């Protein structure tokens, strides 16, 4: 069992930065690939990025590549999403997610919601023009 709680969302202006945190409880965090997703009103939940269990491998959606950075601190059971140069189109509820299954491939395989087994409640990020 893994319980995830996101925090750090808020209202910012275009071009600003924001850092999100996802605190995890449970014994499996250190062995889990973690993902970040986002969902805007009326749209499907979409992939943002993923990070391997050790933090050594990371993969990002093209829409955020070069602007967002995923990191994790397994000693603190926390995964982070650093967001720079935010755009109005980044406005969404942001979710962290964890895999419970053993990895079967490379980090860029895990871009769909069905690849993840545990989800946080989400945190709102709003970017004004």
């Amino acid at each position: 069992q893994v319980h995830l709680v996101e925090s750090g969302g808020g209202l910012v202006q275009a071009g600003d930065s924001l850092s999100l945190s996802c605190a995890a409880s449970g014994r499996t965090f250190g062995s889990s690939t973690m993902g970040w997703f986002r969902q805007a009103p009326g749209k499907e939940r979409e992939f943002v990025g993923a990070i391997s269990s050790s933090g050594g491998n990371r993969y990002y959606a093209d829409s955020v590549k070069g602007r967002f950075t995923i990191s994790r601190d397994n000693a603190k059971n926390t995964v982070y999403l650093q967001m720079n140069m935010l755009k109005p189109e980044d406005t969404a509820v942001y979710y962290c997610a964890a895999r419970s299954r053993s990895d079967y491939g490379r980090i860029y395989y895990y871009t769909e919601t069905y690849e993840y087994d545990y989800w946080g409640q989400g945190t709102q990020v709003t970017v004004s023009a």
Side-chain angles (χ1 to χ4, degrees):
Q1 294 285 345
V2 178
H3 182 64
L4 307 173
V5 179
E6 302 96 334
S7 62
L11 173 63
V12 298
Q13 295 181 339
D16 285 353
S17 297
L18 197 63
S19 182
L20 306 182
S21 298
C22 176
S25 61
R27 296 179 295 174
T28 63
F29 178 80
S31 61
S32 298
T33 292
M34 300 289 295
W36 282 97
F37 290 76
R38 65 187 183 186
Q39 187 168 20
K43 296 185 178 181
E44 297 291 330
R45 191 168 298 185
E46 68 172 348
F47 173 77
V48 174
I51 186 168
S52 62
S53 59
S54 68
N57 295 313
R58 291 171 284 191
Y59 182 68
Y60 303 94
D62 288 342
S63 59
V64 306
K65 192 176 299 181
R67 299 188 298 121
F68 291 10
T69 302
I70 298 173
S71 62
R72 67 191 296 165
D73 187 338
N74 288 347
K76 296 181 179 179
N77 289 338
T78 302
V79 63
Y80 306 94
L81 182 66
Q82 177 65 47
M83 304 182 292
N84 300 322
M85 296 297 296
L86 283 162
K87 306 174 181 179
E89 63 197 69
D90 295 319
T91 295
V93 176
Y94 283 71
Y95 300 88
C96 65
R99 286 179 54 82
S100 65
R101 292 154 283 172
S102 298
D103 292 342
Y104 60 85
R106 297 172 180 173
I107 190 67
Y108 55 80
Y109 288 3
Y110 309 123
T111 61
E112 300 291 337
T113 58
Y114 59 74
E115 296 284 358
Y116 297 85
D117 305 290
Y118 301 98
W119 295 85
Q121 85 289 347
T123 185
Q124 177 71 48
V125 173
T126 302
V127 185
S128 63

